[in-house]
């Protein structure tokens, strides 16, 4: 069939035990006419039970999830499981290997290419394989992101509001079980819209958690710990790792992005000097930062203000800035009593 994936693997998803292998994505080049791109995959199964799909390296320059999932994949013993865990710690492997957000093969931003294309570019083929082969196996998806090269992020767990109240309640429950300090609840209108892994999972009725765990293309120890602990808490909660030893979740502050005014953009080119840090509370009209001309003091510096009040959830990491670069994103508390009550109760 025209829409069949061209990616293959020797992993047998219904076999008990631990299989450490790769997906093979055909990629024909000058250097390797019959070559394939190996994408690491680990499948651990022990009998009947739910399936968790754990992903990192969707963006290649986001490291906490890559390391946490690689450690988990090495450590887990099939005897600990009831069900199945499928781990892809470097999903867009060409981007991971290059230390980049996008793939060097096709400039593909994987988390803007779902549901993908079986006969498209390498990045589109990966998205299609996840959508058509892996998601139908899954009862939950956790997609571990961080800020990457260009952003510093407050550790948070993100969900998209469900189509029904019951679906939203289930997602909130899982978000609180994950236990990030901030829970960011999206109506799906921002960011990647319908082109993300989480949006595709939810369209298939599979609950999806996304995280942001640090940034600046560095590896935050706290972010890596949160990735590991949060994943273990969810696996334990779902009965896949019933005896997992992990700290209980701390409180999660439920927050959301309040429209386009939540984002502060650079008006001019220059060297960005932030006036606040991630985790600070900002008021509308407060100084967000100063952009200094690269030419020095012969030109005036440009002041940038916040358009609304909120908590600074992320900040641009590199100092050199172009017009239109996102400098900050703010989030505000969710006031829904139902959400607040759930937050306190789990
Ligand atoms: Zn990302």
């Amino acid at each position: 069939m025209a829409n069949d994936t061209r990616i293959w693997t020797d992993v047998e998803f219904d076999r008990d035990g631990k299989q450490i292998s790769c997906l093979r994505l055909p990629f024909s080049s000058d250097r390797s006419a019959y070559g394939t791109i190996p994408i690491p995959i680990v499948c651990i199964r022990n009998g009947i039970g739910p399936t968790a799909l754990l992903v990192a390296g969707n963006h290649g320059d986001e490291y906490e999830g890559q390391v946490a999932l690689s450690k988990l994949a090495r450590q887990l013993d099939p005897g600990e499981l009831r069900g199945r865990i499928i781990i892809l710690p470097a999903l867009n492997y060409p981007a991971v290997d290059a230390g980049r957000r996008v793939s060097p093969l096709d400039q593909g931003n994987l988390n803007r290419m779902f549901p993908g294309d079986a006969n498209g570019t390498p990045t589109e083929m990966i998205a299609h394989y996840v959508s058509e082969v892996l998601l139908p196996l899954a009862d939950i998806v956790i997609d571990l992101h961080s800020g990457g090269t260009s952003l510093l992020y407050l550790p948070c767990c993100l969900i998209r509001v469900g189509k029904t109240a019951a679906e939203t309640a289930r997602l909130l429950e899982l978000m609180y079980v994950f236990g990030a300090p901030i829970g960011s609840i999206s109506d799906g209108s921002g960011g990647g819209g319908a082109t993300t892994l989480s949006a595709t999972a939810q369209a298939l009725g599979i609950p999806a958690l996304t995280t942001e765990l640090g940034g600046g293309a560095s590896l935050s120890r706290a972010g890596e710990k949160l990735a590991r602990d949060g994943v273990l808490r969810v696996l334990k909660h779902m009965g896949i790792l019933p005896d997992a030893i992990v700290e209980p979740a701390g409180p999660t502050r439920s927050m959301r992005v309040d429209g386009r005014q939540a984002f502060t953009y650079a008006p001019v080119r220059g060297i960005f000097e932030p006036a606040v840090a991630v985790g600070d509370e900002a008021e509308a009209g407060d100084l967000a930062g100063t952009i200094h001309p690269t030419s020095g003091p012969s030109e005036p510096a440009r002041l940038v203000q916040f358009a609304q009040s909120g908590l600074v959830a992320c900040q641009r990491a590199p100092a050199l800035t172009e017009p239109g670069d996102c400098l900050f994103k703010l989030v505000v508390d969710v006031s829904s009593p139902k959400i607040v009550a759930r937050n306190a109760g789990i």
Side-chain angles (χ1 to χ4, degrees):
M1 280 190 23
N3 289 327
D4 279 355
T5 183
R6 294 166 54 213
I7 296 175
W8 76 94
T9 180
D10 59 4
V11 170
E12 296 171 35
F13 291 106
D14 290 330
R15 198 210 305 167
D16 277 349
K18 184 196 274 194
Q19 301 171 75
I20 301 177
S21 187
C22 63
L23 308 176
R24 292 201 174 275
L25 189 159
F27 185 68
S28 181
S29 66
D30 289 342
R31 203 192 56 75
S32 187
Y34 293 172
T36 62
I37 297 164
I39 300 166
I41 185 167
V42 178
C43 180
I44 312 167
R45 184 180 186 272
N46 186 21
I48 302 300
T51 294
L53 178 62
L54 308 178
V55 170
N58 184 333
H59 291 135
D61 58 351
E62 304 174 2
Y63 294 106
E64 288 82 356
Q66 295 181 37
V67 170
L69 290 188
S70 293
K71 286 184 187 174
L72 193 67
R74 288 188 200 102
Q75 290 166 358
L76 281 177
D77 180 86
E80 301 173 70
L81 270 69
R82 302 286 180 274
R84 180 168 55 184
I85 303 173
I86 300 171
I87 301 175
L88 292 112
L91 182 59
N92 197 356
Y93 178 70
V96 169
D97 195 47
R100 293 181 55 191
R101 181 174 181 82
V102 303
S103 173
L105 302 180
D106 56 8
Q107 303 303 314
N109 181 345
L110 178 55
N111 217 31
R112 301 292 183 272
M113 289 191 160
F114 282 86
D117 181 346
N119 294 305
T121 68
T123 309
E124 289 172 327
M125 290 169 69
I126 295 170
H128 178 269
Y129 186 87
V130 173
S131 303
E132 293 293 321
V133 179
L134 297 179
L135 284 179
L137 302 175
D139 297 291
I140 179 156
V141 180
I142 305 179
D143 186 17
L144 298 167
H145 289 251
S146 297
T149 304
S150 75
L151 296 173
L152 305 173
Y153 238 104
L154 207 56
C156 61
C157 180
L158 301 91
I159 60 168
R160 296 158 54 94
V161 170
K163 289 189 286 292
T164 64
E167 186 185 354
T168 302
R170 174 71 172 144
L171 286 162
L172 285 167
E173 177 185 320
L174 291 166
M175 183 183 84
Y176 295 128
V177 168
F178 190 93
I182 302 294
S184 184
I185 300 162
S186 160
D187 62 6
S189 64
T195 64
T196 63
L197 172 52
S198 63
T200 303
Q202 265 185 255
L204 295 170
I206 304 157
L209 299 179
T210 305
T211 65
E212 303 287 357
L213 297 164
S218 67
L219 177 68
S220 151
R221 290 179 63 206
E224 193 273 335
K225 182 178 189 307
L226 177 58
R228 182 180 67 233
D229 289 355
V231 164
L232 286 177
R233 281 190 284 265
V234 171
L235 294 173
K236 185 172 187 170
H237 180 75
M238 293 195 66
I240 300 174
L241 276 182
D243 301 320
I245 297 167
V246 58
E247 294 170 17
T252 295
R253 183 174 171 186
S254 297
M255 309 197 77
R256 66 186 175 88
V257 173
D258 188 15
R260 297 204 184 281
Q261 300 274 67
F263 296 86
T264 306
Y265 296 100
V268 294
R269 185 172 196 276
I271 302 164
F272 166 50
E273 179 194 5
V276 298
V278 163
D280 285 351
E281 299 277 356
E283 295 289 329
D286 279 358
L287 181 67
T290 306
I291 299 181
H292 301 271
T294 54
S295 56
S298 60
E299 301 288 330
R302 181 78 170 258
L303 304 181
V304 185
Q305 275 97 21
F306 288 111
Q308 65 172 217
S309 303
L311 180 78
V312 179
C314 78
Q315 162 193 332
R316 177 170 173 79
L320 192 60
T321 295
E322 300 285 340
D325 284 341
C326 178
L327 303 178
F328 293 104
K329 182 179 90 171
L330 302 177
V331 290
V332 296
D333 284 300
V334 171
S335 53
S336 160
K338 194 185 288 181
I339 291 172
V340 172
R342 283 207 149 263
N343 190 359
I346 294 177

